[in-house]
Amino acid sequence: FMCAMPLLEKPDSVMDLPFTAEVKLDQRSLDFVKPMVPMLQDLKGAASIDLKADGTARSPHISGVVELDVPDVTPRDPDLPLVKNLKARITGDGTTVKLETLHAMAAGGEVNVSGSCDLRDLKQPAFDVALKARDLLVVRNEGMSLRTDADITCKGVPTKANVTGTVGLTRGRVF
């Protein structure tokens, strides 16, 4: 109880306590995910993680890499498209987390996402994310089918973000 008193008097001081954490997972199957996500009928793929974090909660430093290689994602809902060739690489370099690549094919369309998030100010992390889509299926049900091309960027902080770009309907059909 005595050692907890300074934290009770100044609860914000926990933000300045040093920490060290490490997560390492050699390439493993994602089979364990399917039972936890009821909307998935099937999931085939693997992930690897090699991350280290240290510093304080107020000023963390992250380094390492997370990689995903997911050849097939099959949703239970037949209105949702199959996802193929999902690949992602996320890296940490000090105070910046980078989504170097996220690529997937969905029902014949393609989507790519990349970007970064600067964590120097955890209350207002700065992000810069770009999404590009080509012939991406966005709606398919008994009433319609719509595909789009998109080139969108989102930059800023959570309280003041700037979203720019274009979204165009490339094909559509209303039944």
Side-chain angles (χ1 to χ4, degrees):
F1 181 73
M2 293 293 274
C3 62
M5 287 304 288
L7 289 178
L8 293 174
E9 292 170 6
K10 296 180 183 177
D12 206 33
S13 67
V14 75
M15 297 294 288
D16 296 315
L17 293 174
F19 77 91
T20 301
E22 186 172 345
V23 178
K24 184 161 179 68
L25 176 69
D26 292 329
Q27 190 168 23
R28 303 274 184 200
S29 169
L30 294 173
D31 289 342
F32 72 94
V33 174
K34 193 174 122 183
M36 294 186 288
V37 184
M39 69 180 288
L40 292 179
Q41 180 176 326
D42 198 15
L43 174 69
K44 292 183 174 77
S48 63
I49 302 171
D50 187 2
L51 288 176
K52 294 177 184 166
D54 60 19
T56 65
R58 193 180 314 277
S59 182
H61 291 87
I62 301 167
S63 63
V65 63
V66 175
E67 293 183 304
L68 290 172
D69 185 359
V70 183
D72 292 297
V73 180
T74 307
R76 287 198 188 284
D77 184 342
D79 290 337
L80 295 176
L82 301 175
V83 175
K84 301 269 188 195
N85 302 322
L86 172 66
K87 294 187 185 293
R89 180 175 169 85
I90 303 164
T91 60
D93 183 15
T95 59
T96 303
V97 175
K98 294 179 185 171
L99 177 57
E100 290 183 6
T101 184
L102 177 106
H103 171 83
M105 302 291 290
E110 184 176 2
V111 65
N112 289 287
V113 182
S114 61
S116 63
C117 184
D118 186 332
L119 301 174
R120 281 181 280 195
D121 181 353
L122 291 178
K123 291 182 180 177
Q124 289 292 315
F127 51 86
D128 182 354
V129 180
L131 177 140
K132 294 181 189 253
R134 184 182 52 80
D135 207 27
L136 186 65
L137 181 66
V138 290
V139 176
R140 178 179 62 194
N141 59 34
E142 66 279 347
M144 72 177 78
S145 175
L146 299 174
R147 290 183 176 272
T148 187
D149 284 351
D151 188 353
I152 302 168
T153 60
C154 183
K155 295 180 182 182
V157 295
T159 56
K160 187 177 180 184
N162 186 25
V163 179
T164 60
T166 59
V167 177
L169 185 62
T170 58
R171 276 192 289 165
R173 189 172 190 187
V174 178
F175 304 106

